Amino acid sequence: MFDKLQNISFRFVFRFLMVVKPPPAPRVFEGVDASLELCRSVVAGGAKSVLLITTAGMVKRATVDPLLKTLQEAGATVHIFDEVEPNPLVSTVEAGIKRYEAANADAVLAFGGGSVLDAAKAVALGAANARPLRQLIGFFKAKQKAVPFYAIPTTAGSGSEITSAALLTDDTSHQKLFLLDHKLIPLAVALDPEPMATMPAGITAETGADALTHAIEAYVTPIRPPELMRTAASAIKQIFDHLPEAFQHGENRTARGHLARASFDAGRAFNAMGLGFVHALSHQLTAHYGVPHGRTNAVLLPAVLQASRHGIAPALATLAHQLWPEDAPAATDLAATFFIERVQSLMRALEMPSAVPEIKERDLDAIIRAARKEAIGSYPVAYLLSTAECRDILLKVKNGES
């Protein structure tokens, strides 16, 4: 009962922060070479010294070269910070802040996937606030707005380019740490299919599964603004329609463009409507075992939807009727089952694994305790999974029975 009351209280706070006081909307550049258009806009807006945050791989493969050329031709000096790793560490962000200060930069440009975007957001916020980074961890801790910050996602999955959160990892404990603040949202975003066209099929599948999870978890929360419900549903449809094509034919810029928009829309939806137990459990599995976040989402999503159907069957049925009006059964329970089966079919088409064999039973208590704390205290969850239900899900996921 206490868990339920705590989560209901959180829903009111979350709704106020995200719906009543909505986050700002960034300017969006969209289409092939939108990233170059954004670069020219950054300099036109007054930036003279830009810190480009990316990965060493992006630099080595020369993926960043068109951005460097465009920024330099427009008159900016560019400094590169390419130390971001998957699941960025607090110490990495602290190093990025020092690099920003040493370069005397006046803008931050993120170019990469979710880890790069999260790290860059934290750098931009930390550089503007004369406080240790750890004092910004939590809800709305920053007093100053971030330094001018711009984002170019190179994967269609995290949605971090539109969310008010940055997820970091503690260097010692490997605990996941959240910065939540509307000041983290960039001034402008480029949804450019070009840098995504060479993304490997496996990463395309994992990031697409992440975006799908964002949109579905947002759609089934109790916070249901009509416009954002439509946004989430649209993202789900675009992912079902275009992810298999991008997986099979990564060079298809049209499919990539649809997925970039879907990821952005899914991020916008979950930023205002919240997430749920798929992400709460997934974050713990990634922290404990280093399994990619999109992969754990793909395996957990059907299992959590099935276990939560007491609270979300009507929402799943509505989605089924919207997406497949000719095929979905009329009855709510049957339509909800139909939707879950479609999710499972999509994951099979993407050749996603059906299990997370890395899970160790000795870790279950700690994983469940941390996941329930995250879900109950951080998300407006429609159905609160019990400790026993979480254990059952994890055992099924471990053994490939979900």
Side-chain angles (χ1 to χ4, degrees), residues 90 94 131-137 169-172 177:
V90 170
E94 290 171 336
R131 302 167 62 189
L133 177 65
R134 289 183 179 274
Q135 292 184 15
L136 300 178
I137 291 169
T169 301
D170 185 272
D171 290 68
T172 304
L177 305 173

Side-chain angles (χ1 to χ4, degrees), residues 158-230:
S158 76
S160 185
E161 68 275 8
I162 183 58
T163 68
S164 304
L167 181 62
L168 306 179
T169 301
D170 185 272
D171 290 68
T172 304
S173 70
H174 303 292
Q175 179 184 359
K176 294 299 181 182
L177 305 173
F178 287 90
L179 282 76
L180 185 68
D181 201 305
H182 292 338
K183 300 180 185 72
L184 291 167
I185 293 180
L187 298 174
V189 173
L191 304 180
D192 189 345
E194 196 61 36
M196 302 181 186
T198 57
M199 192 192 313
I203 296 178
T204 298
E206 289 177 3
T207 55
D210 191 19
L212 180 65
T213 305
H214 291 156
I216 293 174
E217 287 204 297
Y219 192 90
V220 302
T221 68
I223 297 176
R224 305 170 68 82
E227 178 194 354
L228 291 173
M229 293 289 288
R230 292 190 291 271

Side-chain angles (χ1 to χ4, degrees), residues 46-401:
K48 297 185 181 341
S49 179
V50 178
L51 181 65
L52 175 61
I53 297 182
T54 187
T55 65
M58 290 283 192
V59 175
K60 183 178 180 180
R61 294 189 298 272
T63 313
V64 301
D65 285 2
L67 307 183
L68 294 175
K69 181 181 178 182
T70 302
L71 288 166
Q72 290 165 349
E73 287 179 346
T77 301
V78 184
H79 312 270
I80 297 177
F81 180 77
D82 63 356
E83 300 173 22
V84 181
E85 68 274 81
N87 306 306
L89 299 171
V90 170
S91 61
T92 300
V93 173
E94 290 171 336
I97 294 171
K98 290 180 180 177
R99 177 73 170 127
Y100 181 90
E101 294 169 346
N104 197 26
D106 52 19
V108 171
L109 173 61
F111 183 69
S115 293
V116 167
L117 297 177
D118 280 1
K121 289 160 79 170
V123 168
L125 193 65
N129 286 267
R131 302 167 62 189
L133 177 65
R134 289 183 179 274
Q135 292 184 15
L136 300 178
I137 291 169
F139 289 72
F140 296 86
K141 297 289 186 67
K143 294 182 179 180
Q144 304 297 324
K145 66 181 181 179
V147 302
F149 169 56
Y150 306 86
I152 304 172
T154 60
T155 61
S158 76
S160 185
E161 68 275 8
I162 183 58
T163 68
S164 304
L167 181 62
L168 306 179
T169 301
D170 185 272
D171 290 68
T172 304
S173 70
H174 303 292
Q175 179 184 359
K176 294 299 181 182
L177 305 173
F178 287 90
L179 282 76
L180 185 68
D181 201 305
H182 292 338
K183 300 180 185 72
L184 291 167
I185 293 180
L187 298 174
V189 173
L191 304 180
D192 189 345
E194 196 61 36
M196 302 181 186
T198 57
M199 192 192 313
I203 296 178
T204 298
E206 289 177 3
T207 55
D210 191 19
L212 180 65
T213 305
H214 291 156
I216 293 174
E217 287 204 297
Y219 192 90
V220 302
T221 68
I223 297 176
R224 305 170 68 82
E227 178 194 354
L228 291 173
M229 293 289 288
R230 292 190 291 271
T231 298
S234 173
I236 294 166
K237 177 171 174 51
Q238 289 189 80
I239 292 167
F240 270 100
D241 287 349
H242 299 287
L243 182 54
E245 171 63 20
F247 175 72
Q248 294 289 341
H249 305 101
E251 73 284 355
N252 186 325
R253 270 70 170 175
T254 300
R256 293 287 191 189
H258 281 292
L259 292 176
R261 167 52 69 171
S263 177
F264 181 86
D265 286 347
R268 180 167 172 256
F270 89 73
N271 195 49
M273 299 159 71
L275 292 170
F277 270 92
V278 178
H279 272 79
L281 289 165
S282 179
H283 288 150
Q284 311 315 316
L285 298 185
T286 297
H288 274 76
Y289 310 115
V291 184
H293 175 64
R295 189 181 308 167
T296 55
N297 276 353
V299 180
L300 284 163
L301 180 58
V304 172
L305 292 179
Q306 182 64 39
S308 305
R309 54 184 297 133
H310 295 298
I312 64 173
L316 296 183
T318 299
L319 281 173
H321 292 141
Q322 288 180 358
L323 270 64
W324 303 285
E326 302 287 329
D327 302 318
T332 297
D333 284 347
L334 293 177
T337 298
F338 177 86
F339 181 84
I340 295 171
E341 290 172 348
R342 285 295 176 109
V343 170
Q344 291 171 317
S345 295
L346 177 62
M347 297 309 159
R348 286 194 294 269
L350 299 174
E351 301 177 10
M352 297 300 293
S354 60
V356 183
E358 292 88 347
I359 295 173
K360 296 178 175 56
E361 291 193 35
R362 66 172 180 265
D363 297 332
L364 290 183
D365 287 345
I367 289 171
I368 293 167
R369 185 165 53 250
R372 295 191 78 247
K373 180 180 179 180
E374 178 180 324
I376 293 167
S378 303
Y379 307 135
V381 184
Y383 179 81
L384 295 182
L385 293 172
S386 67
T387 297
E389 288 170 322
C390 288
R391 182 177 294 274
D392 183 58
I393 288 169
L394 291 171
L395 289 174
K396 287 181 177 177
V397 164
K398 172 181 170 57
N399 298 317
E401 299 172 357

